[in-house]
């Protein structure tokens, strides 16, 4: 009887904890030693709307691919062997002719497109190698509850497109570089402990937050750096009228202009975006300089305001680290 009870107990324990493990594990390797040599083929092989998480482990190598995770492929983990040596790269850009001899746009210039929900990425480099040829997106995310950690996202103009009004996205300990508007879009996004490098005198963010959203882009404990010789960078400009961007306890290099924010004048469709955009900071560490010369329509948060900037509140109940 005791033996039967023990067997039942072990079986029940294994059942309860089974949900924490991927139901399938796939290896991608350039040298043919894994299940696939292509990341896209590995993604395609996963069952649509699978029962739980599926792990794709990507061995070191440079994968010259344009990768799509469609909406039917949810709960996928892309885990690189090493972010310095596991690289997904492509070189499409807005204006480039595609296979149908039609010009690409910003929105299909991506290297990696994530449309599925509950996608997790770690230890990877995602790169669009096109520079100064047009908008060229490296990472384009539309799915909800997206998480990326310990990764590098490289590009020039429009590096990261955090798209769609319903999407919640979490970036932790990532390195992101670009030239103009290289973090842009409508989504609600938190950047935690990330390094953001400007490669040109331009703008870091271009949020397009919609009016019904309380939060847009929120940066916690990040570091803003720049390529040598870059001295005139804005924290952001509003792509759409209700853009929301907040920096909390962020180290800002001398390349950040004293006024901080730009109203994006000259947009005939939305001429007065500074009247509706919400730009704010708390605890900016600005190489000894203060924030007294910020534009009058931006905000300096108080400690009391910070109670509204928790992951649970920003993401409306979703906590990415749980």
């Amino acid at each position: 009887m005791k033996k039967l009870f023990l067997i039942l107990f072990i079986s029940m324990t294994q059942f309860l904890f089974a949900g924490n493990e991927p139901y399938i594990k796939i290896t991608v390797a350039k040298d043919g030693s894994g299940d696939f040599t292509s990341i896209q083929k590995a993604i395609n092989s996963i069952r649509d709307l699978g029962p739980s998480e599926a792990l794709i482990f990507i061995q070191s190598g440079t994968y010259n691919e344009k990768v799509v995770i469609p909406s039917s492929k949810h709960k996928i983990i892309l885990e690189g062997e090493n972010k310095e040596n596991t690289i997904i790269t492509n070189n499409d850009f807005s204006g480039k002719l595609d296979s149908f001899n039609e010009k690409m746009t910003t929105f299909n210039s991506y290297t990696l497109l994530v449309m599925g929900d509950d996608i997790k990425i770690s230890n990877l480099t995602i790169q669009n190698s096109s520079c100064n040829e047009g908008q060229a997106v490296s990472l384009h995310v539309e799915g909800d509850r997206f998480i990326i950690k310990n990764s590098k996202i490289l590009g020039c103009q429009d590096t990261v497109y955090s798209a769609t009004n319903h999407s919640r996205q979490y970036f932790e300990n990532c390195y992101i570089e670009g030239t103009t508007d290289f973090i842009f879009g409508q989504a609600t996004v938190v950047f935690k402990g990330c390094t953001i490098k400007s490669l040109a005198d331009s703008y870091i963010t271009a949020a397009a937050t919609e009016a019904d959203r309380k939060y847009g882009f929120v940066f916690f404990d990040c570091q803003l750096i720049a390529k040598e010789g870059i001295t005139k960078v804005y924290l952001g400009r509003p792509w759409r009228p209700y853009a929301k961007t907040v920096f909390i306890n962020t180290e800002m290099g001398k390349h950040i202009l004293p006024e901080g924010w730009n109203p994006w004048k000259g947009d005939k469709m939305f001429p007065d975006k500074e009247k509706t955009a919400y730009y704010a900071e708390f605890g900016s560490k600005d190489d000894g300089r203060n924030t007294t010369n910020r534009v009058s329509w931006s905000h300096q948060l108080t400690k009391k305001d910070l109670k509204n900037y928790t992951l649970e509140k920003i993401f409306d109940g979703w906590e990415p680290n749980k």
Side-chain angles (χ1 to χ4, degrees), residues 43 49 52 71 94 97 105 109 165 175 183 189 213 215-217 220 229 259 266 284 295 321-322:
I43 292 168
L49 303 177
S52 60
S71 58
S94 178
L97 295 179
T105 68
S109 67
N165 189 36
Y175 172 91
I183 299 172
V189 191
R213 295 295 170 183
Y215 303 94
F217 299 161
F220 290 101
E259 55 265 44
S284 294
V295 292
N321 288 322
K322 285 191 174 181

Side-chain angles (χ1 to χ4, degrees), residues 30 39 58-65 67 80-90 111 123-128 152 154:
K30 292 280 289 185
I39 297 168
I58 307 169
Q59 290 188 5
S60 293
T62 299
Y63 297 83
N64 293 281
E65 298 188 51
V67 178
E81 183 175 1
N82 180 300
K83 69 179 178 183
E84 301 298 335
N85 301 315
T86 312
I87 303 165
I88 308 171
T89 185
N90 192 53
T111 295
N123 303 324
L124 279 176
T125 289
I126 304 161
Q127 178 187 43
N128 192 322
K152 299 172 72 174
L154 311 179

Side-chain angles (χ1 to χ4, degrees), residues 41-66:
K41 287 182 179 179
I43 292 168
N44 294 347
S45 75
I46 292 173
R47 182 175 181 173
D48 289 346
L49 303 177
S52 60
E53 288 188 329
L55 172 64
I56 298 176
F57 179 75
I58 307 169
Q59 290 188 5
S60 293
T62 299
Y63 297 83
N64 293 281
E65 298 188 51
K66 189 178 182 76

Side-chain angles (χ1 to χ4, degrees), residues 178-180 198-203 226-227 229-234 255:
T179 56
T180 299
S198 293
L199 303 179
D201 288 331
S202 197
Y203 313 88
K227 186 176 76 172
I230 302 307
T231 60
K232 298 177 181 178
V233 174
Y234 290 94
H255 62 293

